[in-house]
Amino acid sequence: MKRFLSIAAAGLLLVSQSVLAGGNVEAGKLAAEKFNCASCHGKDFQSPIDPAYPKLAGQHQDYLVQALKAYQRGDKGPNGRANAIMGGQAKALSAADIENIAAYLHSLPGTLVVQK
């Protein structure tokens, strides 16, 4: 019985960690407002102020997380991205901010499509 309880507790711990790792949509909305992401990517996150800026609404959550982490690393880190504006913005984000913003942007309706 003790072994069963230990396994159940370990399983619950893993499940709770994966939920936390998934990000919080509402917290992501607040973080996106706090860091003023819409000023470049558009109020609906599909109408950027410059065509060179990406549409973010509906983008894959894991892609957004990795992209923000790459901007934090900059071009000197492994798999980093060099962009002065996004680098500065991303450096101010905590790990929780990144997960939450990615969850929020992923939850938005978007016009991104996958080519078949």
Side-chain angles (χ1 to χ4, degrees):
M1 182 69 171
K2 285 184 180 180
R3 182 174 181 190
F4 173 76
L5 291 175
S6 295
I7 292 171
L12 287 173
L13 180 62
L14 288 173
V15 169
S16 67
Q17 287 177 340
S18 68
V19 169
L20 289 175
N24 179 297
V25 172
E26 191 57 37
K29 180 179 181 179
L30 294 174
E33 290 171 2
K34 174 184 174 185
F35 293 103
N36 204 16
C37 302
S39 66
C40 292
H41 295 283
K43 65 181 179 179
D44 60 357
F45 294 99
Q46 6 181 28
S47 313
I49 63 167
D50 184 299
Y53 300 162
K55 295 178 181 182
L56 301 177
Q59 181 59 267
H60 295 283
Q61 184 172 344
D62 56 344
Y63 170 80
L64 292 167
V65 168
Q66 293 308 314
L68 288 169
K69 288 179 180 179
Y71 284 121
Q72 283 184 327
R73 286 190 296 272
D75 63 345
K76 297 193 181 8
N79 300 318
R81 291 186 176 191
N83 180 289
I85 295 170
M86 277 306 301
Q89 290 292 106
K91 283 186 183 9
L93 301 174
S94 69
D97 290 332
I98 289 174
E99 291 290 338
N100 294 336
I101 289 170
Y104 169 62
L105 294 172
H106 174 71
S107 76
L108 297 175
T111 57
L112 298 171
V113 296
V114 176
Q115 298 290 327
K116 292 186 177 187

